[in-house]
Amino acid sequence: MGCEFSKMCSCCDTIEDGVVAQPGNVENDMGETSDLPSFREFSVEQLRNATSGFSVENIVSEHGEKAPNVVYKGKLANQRRIAVKRFNRSAWPDSRQFLEEARTVGQLRSPRLANLLGCCCEGDERLLVAEFMPHETLAKHLFHWETQPMKWAMRLRVALYLAEALDYCTSKGRALYHDLNAYRIVFDDDANPRLSCFGLMKNSRDGKSYSTNLAFTPPEYLRTGRVTPESVMYSFGTLLLDLLSGKHIPPSHALDLIRDRNLQMLTDSCLEGQFSNDDGTELVRLASRCLQYEPRERPNPRSLVSSLVPLQKETQEPSHVLMGMPQGGSAMPLTPLGEACLRMDLTFIHGVLEKLGYKDDEGAATELSFGMWTNQIHDTLNSKKKGDSAFRHKEFKAAIDFYTQFIEVGTMVSPTVFARRSLSYLMSEMAQEALNDAVQAQVISPIWHIASYLQAAALFALGRENEAQIALREGSVLEEKYNAN
């Protein structure tokens, strides 16, 4: 999941492929400051590297490969995690329009958004790059929860933060949001809800696409085929119903229940005893206003914020506590290998890599040329054998030379060779080269925990503590999955 290699850490200006991205220092309307880099353009190759070749393992779309526009998780050279949305080839035929839209959305910076960091417009490819949100979608936590239903206080917080996000976007001239639904709200490292920036982009060249079920579509959309700011308020009303009921109820059915004063049928039974009748009635009133048939009768985002602020409960409780999640993506307890990376115990890591052998190369991409049937294959494999022997005997300079000969021939690709050369570089106090090789190992084998751990060790050696901790957490998660399998 790596990409080409930056020369500076994420807390400074990052340099990637000669492009300097100055950290933004944009104050938003909530008085907070964003430390995100400015919007930039990426190449397809950079995003291919960041997502390990758009590997299936990195797909995070709710509908996986079958989704018309697939979203992948990825990681840049400075360890910043990203979400990459890859559009269907028939979308955005006008490259200029795509770039203009992306650049405009990319100027937005708010802690209520999963902000757009960049885009790629190369050939037929149209890709968007955003902040990665690790704690899934509102739909997952409301409709498909596994450990605990979402608490009432957290549901009210989601409603407020979403209203604030829409108010911010409106204040910056981006009042239109396409297909607002529970899948568009994601949760960050601290479990705070954020609105995905992807919906701020038109999802078709004429802005007419609306992918939700017709039962949830604003009535005026059926007449005109276009999204308006008032349409967004209608969709906000359906989200308030989702939060209240824990189900995706068609607005027409909900309005019938409201008219009949049958609020009990509308309320999630999991919320019993968590809120007063007055609070429930007020949320239903807000939903009813948003779902008015006439667009002009619906509230605007600013008035929604004003109405939702007084309803907030447990305001001192952090979101991750309300959601029952670890803070900041905190990792599980470290395994012996993770501890060795943290302590920079390179001898221990060497022992692990030596015992590991090449079993993780199974399934890795192997490219064979015609030269395989000539003396070239003999020489290539001989270089690897000599490298393995040097590595085993801790002759790391020689190991680097032999592995380099094997890699440069290019007839075979091996993540284990890159991992072993990475450690050899670390042993030789060549930390940047070690990081480059660890990233390459992960590009070849995206879910291999060893590659993440080696990145962590190299980053610790470079003094890039924050990025090293991120790589260490990632290695822990991947190792747990590896051991479970």
Side-chain angles (χ1 to χ4, degrees):
M1 281 189 287
C3 139
E4 288 136 68
F5 315 111
S6 69
K7 301 182 180 70
M8 300 177 72
C9 68
S10 59
C11 60
C12 311
D13 300 353
T14 56
I15 300 180
E16 295 171 61
D17 284 44
V19 178
V20 179
Q22 301 290 340
N25 196 27
V26 183
E27 287 197 19
N28 59 45
D29 288 354
M30 281 160 276
E32 297 183 51
T33 304
S34 170
D35 62 351
L36 292 174
S38 298
F39 180 88
R40 55 165 294 193
E41 290 182 40
F42 293 86
S43 69
V44 171
E45 189 60 26
Q46 284 176 304
L47 299 183
R48 185 175 285 114
N49 285 340
T51 58
S52 298
F54 300 109
S55 68
V56 173
E57 291 89 350
N58 285 335
I59 292 176
V60 292
S61 304
E62 296 288 343
H63 305 295
E65 288 179 283
K66 294 180 181 177
N69 306 309
V70 181
V71 180
Y72 300 84
K73 65 179 178 180
K75 189 170 65 177
L76 297 175
N78 61 6
Q79 301 299 305
R80 185 183 289 282
R81 292 172 298 167
I82 55 173
V84 180
K85 182 171 185 174
R86 192 182 197 185
F87 284 91
N88 182 296
R89 288 186 181 276
S90 63
W92 297 102
D94 186 337
S95 59
R96 187 171 55 183
Q97 186 190 23
F98 174 77
L99 282 170
E100 285 175 2
E101 276 280 297
R103 284 173 183 148
T104 305
V105 175
Q107 298 308 305
L108 302 177
R109 288 288 180 267
S110 168
R112 297 293 180 256
L113 295 175
N115 295 282
L116 195 65
L117 304 177
C119 73
C120 173
C121 185
E122 200 173 293
D124 290 335
E125 291 283 7
R126 304 286 183 267
L127 302 108
L128 297 175
V129 180
E131 293 180 279
F132 178 66
M133 300 288 119
H135 289 308
E136 305 193 80
T137 65
L138 177 62
K140 168 79 173 176
H141 295 296
L142 265 187
F143 310 142
H144 312 295
W145 54 272
E146 293 168 3
T147 54
Q148 66 174 41
M150 188 181 287
K151 293 180 179 177
W152 175 247
M154 191 64 207
R155 298 188 196 204
L156 290 174
R157 187 171 298 178
V158 169
L160 174 62
Y161 281 24
L162 175 57
E164 288 178 340
L166 294 173
D167 184 36
Y168 169 80
C169 293
T170 300
S171 74
K172 299 296 182 183
R174 298 295 298 191
L176 297 187
Y177 194 94
H178 299 262
D179 196 16
L180 179 63
N181 60 56
Y183 293 95
R184 297 286 200 176
I185 300 161
V186 287
F187 292 83
D188 65 18
D189 278 325
D190 296 319
N192 286 316
R194 301 213 201 179
L195 180 62
S196 168
C197 61
F198 293 147
L200 291 165
M201 297 278 295
K202 292 188 180 78
N203 48 8
S204 77
R205 58 182 161 177
D206 58 7
K208 287 188 175 182
S209 173
Y210 209 97
S211 59
T212 52
N213 184 304
L214 289 179
F216 298 90
T217 302
E220 66 275 10
Y221 180 82
L222 299 176
R223 299 194 301 269
T224 66
R226 294 198 175 277
V227 178
T228 67
E230 292 77 21
S231 310
V232 181
M233 290 300 94
Y234 186 92
S235 297
F236 186 91
T238 68
L239 275 165
L240 289 180
L241 294 177
D242 291 346
L243 291 165
L244 186 65
S245 66
K247 298 184 285 289
H248 203 35
I249 299 177
S252 57
H253 178 54
L255 288 171
D256 287 341
L257 292 173
I258 292 167
R259 272 190 288 271
D260 295 339
R261 299 188 179 280
N262 195 349
L263 300 188
Q264 192 172 356
M265 288 288 289
L266 197 58
T267 306
D268 192 339
S269 58
C270 297
L271 295 173
E272 191 170 347
Q274 291 190 34
F275 64 94
S276 67
N277 286 338
D278 286 349
D279 285 351
T281 302
E282 178 60 15
L283 205 64
V284 168
R285 186 187 72 80
L286 280 177
S288 300
R289 287 180 60 207
C290 292
L291 296 170
Q292 290 296 309
Y293 184 83
E294 289 297 333
R296 65 177 179 274
E297 294 178 6
R298 298 171 199 157
N300 59 39
R302 182 65 51 92
S303 68
L304 284 173
V305 171
S306 299
S307 299
L308 286 163
V309 166
L311 295 180
Q312 298 306 301
K313 309 294 178 188
E314 301 182 49
T315 53
Q316 300 306 308
E317 201 75 4
S319 294
H320 71 91
V321 174
L322 290 176
M323 295 283 280
M325 293 177 178
Q327 183 179 21
S330 302
M332 55 212 70
L334 292 174
T335 62
L337 180 54
E339 288 282 359
C341 292
L342 186 62
R343 296 194 314 270
M344 289 296 289
D345 184 347
L346 301 184
T347 303
F348 182 92
I349 300 171
H350 175 263
V352 171
L353 275 176
E354 192 186 358
K355 288 175 191 165
L356 193 69
Y358 286 85
K359 62 185 178 182
D360 276 278
D361 281 7
E362 293 170 21
T366 302
E367 298 169 5
L368 305 178
S369 68
F370 181 74
M372 294 297 290
W373 307 108
T374 68
N375 289 334
Q376 187 179 3
I377 181 58
H378 179 268
D379 294 341
T380 302
L381 292 175
N382 207 28
S383 298
K384 185 173 79 67
K385 284 180 183 175
K386 288 180 179 178
D388 290 341
S389 176
F391 185 80
R392 188 165 56 253
H393 290 99
K394 300 184 180 179
E395 297 166 355
F396 296 112
K397 298 279 189 188
I400 290 169
D401 291 340
F402 287 125
Y403 285 142
T404 299
Q405 289 173 28
F406 172 80
I407 288 166
E408 285 181 349
V409 171
T411 51
M412 287 184 289
V413 179
S414 165
T416 305
V417 166
F418 277 108
R420 288 184 168 193
R421 192 174 71 166
S422 174
L423 184 65
S424 299
Y425 277 132
L426 272 176
M427 290 288 196
S428 306
E429 298 185 355
M430 300 169 73
Q432 184 60 53
E433 290 82 356
L435 177 60
N436 296 353
D437 272 5
V439 167
Q440 279 304 312
Q442 196 166 46
V443 168
I444 300 163
S445 190
I447 56 174
W448 195 28
H449 58 288
I450 300 292
S452 287
Y453 279 140
L454 283 169
Q455 287 176 58
L459 288 161
F460 279 128
L462 288 165
R464 291 157 61 173
E465 179 81 21
N466 291 342
E467 298 161 54
Q469 291 290 351
I470 292 170
L472 195 62
R473 285 202 299 267
E474 204 163 74
S476 297
V477 171
L478 291 173
E479 186 177 12
E480 186 185 45
K481 290 179 181 174
Y482 176 83
N483 292 333
N485 293 332

